[in-house]
Amino acid sequence: MFSFIIYDLKVAALIAVFYMFYRLLLCKKNFHRLNRIVLLATALLSFILPLCVITLHKTVVVEDALMTVSVSAAADAVTMPAVKAANFWQTHTFRVMVTVIFIAGIVFRLLTVCRAVFRLNRHIGKMDKYALADGIVIAVSPHRVAPFSWFKTIVMSREDHEQNSRAVLLHERAHIELRHSWDVMLVEVVTAFQWFNPAVWMLRADLRGVHEYEADKAVLNNGVDIRNYVDVLIEKARASGGYSLANGIMNSTLKNRIIMMCYKNKKNDRAWLRALYVLPVAAVALALNATTSVKYVNATQPQTSIDATPAHVVNVPSSIPVQQPVERATAKMVQEPTVATEDAASAEPVAPNAFEEQSSVYQVTDKMPEFPGGVSEMMKYISSNIRYPKEFANVNLKSRVIVAFVVKADGTIDNVKINNTKIQPLTDSATDINEKAAAKAFETEAMRVVKSMPNWTPGEQDGKRVSVAYTLPLQFHSGK
């Protein structure tokens, strides 16, 4: 669900950008049909573009040198409060809070729309109805209401019906023939999912104004005198309405409508070309949403590839020991920034029975699991969260811990185990320490960090999400 919220935020950003350009370039132009199409199209495009992901392929040659992370016990004490504050945005509590508020807003808005539709249909159902030859129904209200239309129904007061005002009928017929009620319902659904976005509320209001401009233009095109029509609008705008979903004479936009009716475009006016702003905005959105599939190739061993999307797959049954894939990432922890080299091929082999009980665990898949944002983001996460065990902060120790785990089909981390741990005293004074206790401390910290990771992007095989085995070497160094 939280992924959908992220998607909806992308939609909100696109709607805001599209609407900003609409206000700057098209809002005051007398191209009502074009403006209507642009508003509806950009609202729909905003929901479609985040789903269109362009994948770029890139090959990166890496050296055997491993990545280095600088940390110490003293620095850890200073930075941890800030890290904890930052990590609140990644906690389960925060996600639950955001999800509840988001869903509550959607449900409230949808219930409001459903209530308005129910009240409107109930009100129309109590009126006297007269069917016309073209299928339009006139519903006559005993109360003094401003005329409005709802799909194929025109609602008017009995006084207006008896007067048989041609201008009023032409105006409401235009709303029906142009299918404005469908626009209204579409935008109401969009507004429900974007209830937190001010831009969508302004877009909603502008679209209703465009509906009125189109209806006014249709009336004038049928030969109604503009002065008489304006008098009718002023008179009918005084009547009460109260149905926000219906298409009717809107008092709030009356001044703008009169100005727009008097506005004439020049014959050589090509202002409609401004609508092409949609194309570069859509192109930028696609570029920003593009992803890069990186293939890492060892510089000293060209035959060894750690491609994130290998061409072959090995399905590991429970009866065959799992051979772990090539290590995807490593992290070192030292006090001073240094670059240490280590041959990846010399890493300790994974225990044969590490994942024996995981009968459906894959070694390599068409699409390997990935930490959100890739290896670089994983390194940032580890450097922000890992801590050198404080009980050994004053001992010059070097420790290498290999953590084995499974990235499940839903992206969660499971079956976290320690594959191998090495403790290496770097000074004579460090040889007296209890190696078992030290190993336990480093293993506990390594497992804690791995278990605290957010959900990964799961691996896929034949288009289906599957569980994949993974190993992560972590190297601690006191820096003394």
Side-chain angles (χ1 to χ4, degrees), residues 166-167 219-220 222-232:
R166 180 169 176 262
V219 174
L220 298 180
N222 277 276
V224 176
D225 180 71
I226 187 172
R227 292 184 179 179
N228 293 335
Y229 182 56
V230 169
D231 290 339
V232 172

Side-chain angles (χ1 to χ4, degrees), residues 9 138 149 153 186 231 269 287 349 361 435 443:
L9 289 174
I138 297 180
S149 62
T153 301
L186 173 63
D231 290 339
D269 193 356
V361 174
E435 289 194 10
E443 290 172 357

Side-chain angles (χ1 to χ4, degrees), residues 243-262:
Y243 296 97
S244 60
L245 293 180
N247 298 289
I249 296 174
M250 299 169 61
N251 189 25
S252 59
T253 62
L254 190 55
K255 179 181 176 181
N256 291 336
R257 289 167 62 188
I258 294 173
I259 294 173
M260 195 62 72
M261 281 188 283
C262 299

